[in-house]
Amino acid sequence: MAVHSQDLRSPVRNSSKSVARPLIAMPRASLHTIVYGITIMLLLLVIYAVMGSVVGWSREKLDDIRYGSTRTFHIDAVVGHNDGAGTPSHFIAMNMNRQVMIIQIPGGDTSQVRTITGPYLVGAGEDKTPVLLSFEDVNKDGTRDMIVNVKNEAIVFLNRDGQFVQMSNEERAQLVAGS
């Protein structure tokens, strides 16, 4: 048996005058094109990584300017704890080494300072997360309740008997069912 080789790209003439054609026409990519494509993909990956670092760094510096390095937030609000329109209560919310702590100075009277302990923040970089406060009547009882905003979460402290207490699961279920 004899071995015969032929080029499939060029027409082959045999004795019956038929033309052999390739079954699949595939474009030939040069080595230069492949290297160029890989280089572009690596360059885009490097740009993505650098931009992520720059955005994270700038967000942290902006929070340093806004809240300080301990992430301190101040707000005045009238909540009905020995305060009034002329002398609102002063609130200081801090992220102290991942522990949310709120200091309340009712009516500006420093002899009645109260401390409210919030949640412990878990995760990488949570020691730099700012804690924000807002006040509204969540349970519709006529007193303004305190809402602690950390990242995308809101923790409600109800204004009850002259102090703020964290909302229980039953109260949360009633609130959700009523809305």
PDB file of all heavy atoms in Angstrom, residues 50-72:
ATOM      1  N   VAL A  50      -6.415  48.773  39.013  1.00  0.00           N
ATOM      2  CA  VAL A  50      -5.923  50.075  39.458  1.00  0.00           C
ATOM      3  C   VAL A  50      -7.086  51.018  39.741  1.00  0.00           C
ATOM      4  O   VAL A  50      -7.098  51.714  40.763  1.00  0.00           O
ATOM      5  CB  VAL A  50      -4.956  50.674  38.405  1.00  0.00           C
ATOM      6  CG1 VAL A  50      -4.657  52.135  38.698  1.00  0.00           C
ATOM      7  CG2 VAL A  50      -3.672  49.872  38.355  1.00  0.00           C
ATOM      8  N   MET A  51      -8.086  51.033  38.884  1.00  0.00           N
ATOM      9  CA  MET A  51      -9.243  51.912  39.102  1.00  0.00           C
ATOM     10  C   MET A  51     -10.010  51.509  40.358  1.00  0.00           C
ATOM     11  O   MET A  51     -10.495  52.373  41.097  1.00  0.00           O
ATOM     12  CB  MET A  51     -10.164  51.913  37.881  1.00  0.00           C
ATOM     13  CG  MET A  51      -9.587  52.621  36.675  1.00  0.00           C
ATOM     14  SD  MET A  51      -9.068  54.321  37.026  1.00  0.00           S
ATOM     15  CE  MET A  51     -10.638  55.066  37.366  1.00  0.00           C
ATOM     16  N   GLY A  52     -10.129  50.214  40.632  1.00  0.00           N
ATOM     17  CA  GLY A  52     -10.783  49.773  41.866  1.00  0.00           C
ATOM     18  C   GLY A  52     -10.049  50.263  43.098  1.00  0.00           C
ATOM     19  O   GLY A  52     -10.666  50.706  44.065  1.00  0.00           O
ATOM     20  N   SER A  53      -8.743  50.200  43.060  1.00  0.00           N
ATOM     21  CA  SER A  53      -7.942  50.691  44.187  1.00  0.00           C
ATOM     22  C   SER A  53      -8.063  52.201  44.346  1.00  0.00           C
ATOM     23  O   SER A  53      -8.184  52.703  45.464  1.00  0.00           O
ATOM     24  CB  SER A  53      -6.472  50.314  43.989  1.00  0.00           C
ATOM     25  OG  SER A  53      -6.317  48.920  43.980  1.00  0.00           O
ATOM     26  N   VAL A  54      -8.057  52.917  43.240  1.00  0.00           N
ATOM     27  CA  VAL A  54      -8.165  54.379  43.291  1.00  0.00           C
ATOM     28  C   VAL A  54      -9.533  54.790  43.833  1.00  0.00           C
ATOM     29  O   VAL A  54      -9.637  55.690  44.681  1.00  0.00           O
ATOM     30  CB  VAL A  54      -7.907  54.997  41.894  1.00  0.00           C
ATOM     31  CG1 VAL A  54      -8.305  56.458  41.845  1.00  0.00           C
ATOM     32  CG2 VAL A  54      -6.445  54.831  41.514  1.00  0.00           C
ATOM     33  N   VAL A  55     -10.594  54.138  43.387  1.00  0.00           N
ATOM     34  CA  VAL A  55     -11.939  54.468  43.865  1.00  0.00           C
ATOM     35  C   VAL A  55     -12.069  54.158  45.350  1.00  0.00           C
ATOM     36  O   VAL A  55     -12.602  54.950  46.122  1.00  0.00           O
ATOM     37  CB  VAL A  55     -13.010  53.722  43.035  1.00  0.00           C
ATOM     38  CG1 VAL A  55     -14.376  53.808  43.679  1.00  0.00           C
ATOM     39  CG2 VAL A  55     -13.064  54.278  41.622  1.00  0.00           C
ATOM     40  N   GLY A  56     -11.571  53.005  45.800  1.00  0.00           N
ATOM     41  CA  GLY A  56     -11.622  52.654  47.221  1.00  0.00           C
ATOM     42  C   GLY A  56     -10.829  53.631  48.080  1.00  0.00           C
ATOM     43  O   GLY A  56     -11.289  54.060  49.143  1.00  0.00           O
ATOM     44  N   TRP A  57      -9.648  53.990  47.614  1.00  0.00           N
ATOM     45  CA  TRP A  57      -8.815  54.935  48.346  1.00  0.00           C
ATOM     46  C   TRP A  57      -9.488  56.297  48.433  1.00  0.00           C
ATOM     47  O   TRP A  57      -9.521  56.921  49.495  1.00  0.00           O
ATOM     48  CB  TRP A  57      -7.457  55.055  47.666  1.00  0.00           C
ATOM     49  CG  TRP A  57      -6.556  56.065  48.300  1.00  0.00           C
ATOM     50  CD1 TRP A  57      -5.748  55.887  49.385  1.00  0.00           C
ATOM     51  CD2 TRP A  57      -6.373  57.421  47.881  1.00  0.00           C
ATOM     52  NE1 TRP A  57      -5.078  57.050  49.671  1.00  0.00           N
ATOM     53  CE2 TRP A  57      -5.450  58.009  48.771  1.00  0.00           C
ATOM     54  CE3 TRP A  57      -6.909  58.198  46.859  1.00  0.00           C
ATOM     55  CZ2 TRP A  57      -5.052  59.333  48.658  1.00  0.00           C
ATOM     56  CZ3 TRP A  57      -6.510  59.516  46.745  1.00  0.00           C
ATOM     57  CH2 TRP A  57      -5.581  60.072  47.639  1.00  0.00           C
ATOM     58  N   SER A  58     -10.058  56.771  47.332  1.00  0.00           N
ATOM     59  CA  SER A  58     -10.699  58.093  47.341  1.00  0.00           C
ATOM     60  C   SER A  58     -11.952  58.089  48.212  1.00  0.00           C
ATOM     61  O   SER A  58     -12.236  59.071  48.904  1.00  0.00           O
ATOM     62  CB  SER A  58     -11.019  58.548  45.918  1.00  0.00           C
ATOM     63  OG  SER A  58     -11.927  57.661  45.308  1.00  0.00           O
ATOM     64  N   ARG A  59     -12.707  56.987  48.225  1.00  0.00           N
ATOM     65  CA  ARG A  59     -13.884  56.895  49.094  1.00  0.00           C
ATOM     66  C   ARG A  59     -13.466  56.955  50.568  1.00  0.00           C
ATOM     67  O   ARG A  59     -14.104  57.623  51.382  1.00  0.00           O
ATOM     68  CB  ARG A  59     -14.640  55.607  48.812  1.00  0.00           C
ATOM     69  CG  ARG A  59     -15.915  55.475  49.616  1.00  0.00           C
ATOM     70  CD  ARG A  59     -16.704  54.254  49.231  1.00  0.00           C
ATOM     71  NE  ARG A  59     -17.189  54.420  47.871  1.00  0.00           N
ATOM     72  CZ  ARG A  59     -17.266  53.440  46.981  1.00  0.00           C
ATOM     73  NH1 ARG A  59     -16.898  52.223  47.308  1.00  0.00           N
ATOM     74  NH2 ARG A  59     -17.712  53.671  45.763  1.00  0.00           N
ATOM     75  N   GLU A  60     -12.375  56.273  50.913  1.00  0.00           N
ATOM     76  CA  GLU A  60     -11.892  56.298  52.293  1.00  0.00           C
ATOM     77  C   GLU A  60     -11.422  57.692  52.689  1.00  0.00           C
ATOM     78  O   GLU A  60     -11.715  58.159  53.794  1.00  0.00           O
ATOM     79  CB  GLU A  60     -10.756  55.288  52.460  1.00  0.00           C
ATOM     80  CG  GLU A  60     -10.257  55.183  53.880  1.00  0.00           C
ATOM     81  CD  GLU A  60      -9.196  54.114  54.047  1.00  0.00           C
ATOM     82  OE1 GLU A  60      -9.214  53.120  53.291  1.00  0.00           O
ATOM     83  OE2 GLU A  60      -8.348  54.287  54.937  1.00  0.00           O
ATOM     84  N   LYS A  61     -10.726  58.383  51.798  1.00  0.00           N
ATOM     85  CA  LYS A  61     -10.254  59.738  52.106  1.00  0.00           C
ATOM     86  C   LYS A  61     -11.429  60.706  52.233  1.00  0.00           C
ATOM     87  O   LYS A  61     -11.406  61.604  53.083  1.00  0.00           O
ATOM     88  CB  LYS A  61      -9.275  60.232  51.031  1.00  0.00           C
ATOM     89  CG  LYS A  61      -7.968  59.483  51.046  1.00  0.00           C
ATOM     90  CD  LYS A  61      -7.328  59.538  52.416  1.00  0.00           C
ATOM     91  CE  LYS A  61      -6.155  58.605  52.515  1.00  0.00           C
ATOM     92  NZ  LYS A  61      -5.697  58.431  53.881  1.00  0.00           N
ATOM     93  N   LEU A  62     -12.454  60.539  51.406  1.00  0.00           N
ATOM     94  CA  LEU A  62     -13.643  61.394  51.507  1.00  0.00           C
ATOM     95  C   LEU A  62     -14.349  61.164  52.841  1.00  0.00           C
ATOM     96  O   LEU A  62     -14.784  62.116  53.497  1.00  0.00           O
ATOM     97  CB  LEU A  62     -14.590  61.113  50.337  1.00  0.00           C
ATOM     98  CG  LEU A  62     -15.830  61.992  50.239  1.00  0.00           C
ATOM     99  CD1 LEU A  62     -15.443  63.454  50.081  1.00  0.00           C
ATOM    100  CD2 LEU A  62     -16.691  61.553  49.075  1.00  0.00           C
ATOM    101  N   ASP A  63     -14.444  59.907  53.288  1.00  0.00           N
ATOM    102  CA  ASP A  63     -15.031  59.617  54.593  1.00  0.00           C
ATOM    103  C   ASP A  63     -14.162  60.176  55.719  1.00  0.00           C
ATOM    104  O   ASP A  63     -14.687  60.625  56.738  1.00  0.00           O
ATOM    105  CB  ASP A  63     -15.223  58.107  54.778  1.00  0.00           C
ATOM    106  CG  ASP A  63     -16.425  57.576  54.021  1.00  0.00           C
ATOM    107  OD1 ASP A  63     -17.270  58.387  53.579  1.00  0.00           O
ATOM    108  OD2 ASP A  63     -16.529  56.341  53.866  1.00  0.00           O
ATOM    109  N   ASP A  64     -12.824  60.164  55.557  1.00  0.00           N
ATOM    110  CA  ASP A  64     -11.946  60.778  56.552  1.00  0.00           C
ATOM    111  C   ASP A  64     -12.241  62.266  56.688  1.00  0.00           C
ATOM    112  O   ASP A  64     -12.274  62.807  57.792  1.00  0.00           O
ATOM    113  CB  ASP A  64     -10.474  60.588  56.172  1.00  0.00           C
ATOM    114  CG  ASP A  64      -9.956  59.197  56.480  1.00  0.00           C
ATOM    115  OD1 ASP A  64     -10.624  58.474  57.247  1.00  0.00           O
ATOM    116  OD2 ASP A  64      -8.892  58.841  55.942  1.00  0.00           O
ATOM    117  N   ILE A  65     -12.464  62.928  55.559  1.00  0.00           N
ATOM    118  CA  ILE A  65     -12.761  64.357  55.584  1.00  0.00           C
ATOM    119  C   ILE A  65     -14.128  64.607  56.220  1.00  0.00           C
ATOM    120  O   ILE A  65     -14.282  65.505  57.041  1.00  0.00           O
ATOM    121  CB  ILE A  65     -12.702  64.938  54.154  1.00  0.00           C
ATOM    122  CG1 ILE A  65     -11.268  64.909  53.637  1.00  0.00           C
ATOM    123  CG2 ILE A  65     -13.270  66.351  54.124  1.00  0.00           C
ATOM    124  CD1 ILE A  65     -11.133  65.204  52.158  1.00  0.00           C
ATOM    125  N   ARG A  66     -15.123  63.808  55.867  1.00  0.00           N
ATOM    126  CA  ARG A  66     -16.485  64.008  56.378  1.00  0.00           C
ATOM    127  C   ARG A  66     -16.621  63.645  57.852  1.00  0.00           C
ATOM    128  O   ARG A  66     -17.256  64.367  58.611  1.00  0.00           O
ATOM    129  CB  ARG A  66     -17.470  63.143  55.595  1.00  0.00           C
ATOM    130  CG  ARG A  66     -17.816  63.655  54.251  1.00  0.00           C
ATOM    131  CD  ARG A  66     -18.871  62.761  53.638  1.00  0.00           C
ATOM    132  NE  ARG A  66     -19.201  63.174  52.302  1.00  0.00           N
ATOM    133  CZ  ARG A  66     -19.802  62.408  51.422  1.00  0.00           C
ATOM    134  NH1 ARG A  66     -20.152  61.185  51.746  1.00  0.00           N
ATOM    135  NH2 ARG A  66     -20.072  62.859  50.227  1.00  0.00           N
ATOM    136  N   TYR A  67     -16.117  62.474  58.258  1.00  0.00           N
ATOM    137  CA  TYR A  67     -16.413  61.929  59.572  1.00  0.00           C
ATOM    138  C   TYR A  67     -15.210  61.792  60.498  1.00  0.00           C
ATOM    139  O   TYR A  67     -15.380  61.398  61.641  1.00  0.00           O
ATOM    140  CB  TYR A  67     -17.064  60.541  59.424  1.00  0.00           C
ATOM    141  CG  TYR A  67     -18.227  60.531  58.482  1.00  0.00           C
ATOM    142  CD1 TYR A  67     -18.148  59.874  57.258  1.00  0.00           C
ATOM    143  CD2 TYR A  67     -19.408  61.174  58.793  1.00  0.00           C
ATOM    144  CE1 TYR A  67     -19.205  59.869  56.378  1.00  0.00           C
ATOM    145  CE2 TYR A  67     -20.477  61.172  57.924  1.00  0.00           C
ATOM    146  CZ  TYR A  67     -20.370  60.516  56.721  1.00  0.00           C
ATOM    147  OH  TYR A  67     -21.422  60.512  55.850  1.00  0.00           O
ATOM    148  N   GLY A  68     -14.016  62.049  60.035  1.00  0.00           N
ATOM    149  CA  GLY A  68     -12.833  61.854  60.856  1.00  0.00           C
ATOM    150  C   GLY A  68     -12.396  60.402  60.855  1.00  0.00           C
ATOM    151  O   GLY A  68     -13.076  59.533  60.317  1.00  0.00           O
ATOM    152  N   SER A  69     -11.274  60.135  61.507  1.00  0.00           N
ATOM    153  CA  SER A  69     -10.761  58.768  61.449  1.00  0.00           C
ATOM    154  C   SER A  69     -11.534  57.814  62.353  1.00  0.00           C
ATOM    155  O   SER A  69     -11.491  56.617  62.162  1.00  0.00           O
ATOM    156  CB  SER A  69      -9.282  58.743  61.797  1.00  0.00           C
ATOM    157  OG  SER A  69      -9.110  59.164  63.135  1.00  0.00           O
ATOM    158  N   THR A  70     -12.252  58.309  63.368  1.00  0.00           N
ATOM    159  CA  THR A  70     -13.091  57.426  64.184  1.00  0.00           C
ATOM    160  C   THR A  70     -14.513  57.371  63.648  1.00  0.00           C
ATOM    161  O   THR A  70     -15.372  56.765  64.272  1.00  0.00           O
ATOM    162  CB  THR A  70     -13.135  57.893  65.647  1.00  0.00           C
ATOM    163  OG1 THR A  70     -13.634  59.221  65.681  1.00  0.00           O
ATOM    164  CG2 THR A  70     -11.781  57.812  66.296  1.00  0.00           C
ATOM    165  N   ARG A  71     -14.758  57.989  62.514  1.00  0.00           N
ATOM    166  CA  ARG A  71     -16.071  57.986  61.874  1.00  0.00           C
ATOM    167  C   ARG A  71     -17.135  58.495  62.848  1.00  0.00           C
ATOM    168  O   ARG A  71     -18.033  57.786  63.258  1.00  0.00           O
ATOM    169  CB  ARG A  71     -16.438  56.604  61.344  1.00  0.00           C
ATOM    170  CG  ARG A  71     -15.442  56.044  60.351  1.00  0.00           C
ATOM    171  CD  ARG A  71     -15.376  56.930  59.120  1.00  0.00           C
ATOM    172  NE  ARG A  71     -14.570  56.319  58.088  1.00  0.00           N
ATOM    173  CZ  ARG A  71     -13.434  56.828  57.645  1.00  0.00           C
ATOM    174  NH1 ARG A  71     -12.977  57.937  58.145  1.00  0.00           N
ATOM    175  NH2 ARG A  71     -12.776  56.239  56.684  1.00  0.00           N
ATOM    176  N   THR A  72     -17.023  59.777  63.211  1.00  0.00           N
ATOM    177  CA  THR A  72     -17.931  60.415  64.156  1.00  0.00           C
ATOM    178  C   THR A  72     -18.960  61.245  63.409  1.00  0.00           C
ATOM    179  O   THR A  72     -18.626  61.991  62.502  1.00  0.00           O
ATOM    180  CB  THR A  72     -17.130  61.318  65.116  1.00  0.00           C
ATOM    181  OG1 THR A  72     -16.111  60.537  65.723  1.00  0.00           O
ATOM    182  CG2 THR A  72     -18.024  61.901  66.185  1.00  0.00           C
TER     183      THR A  72
END
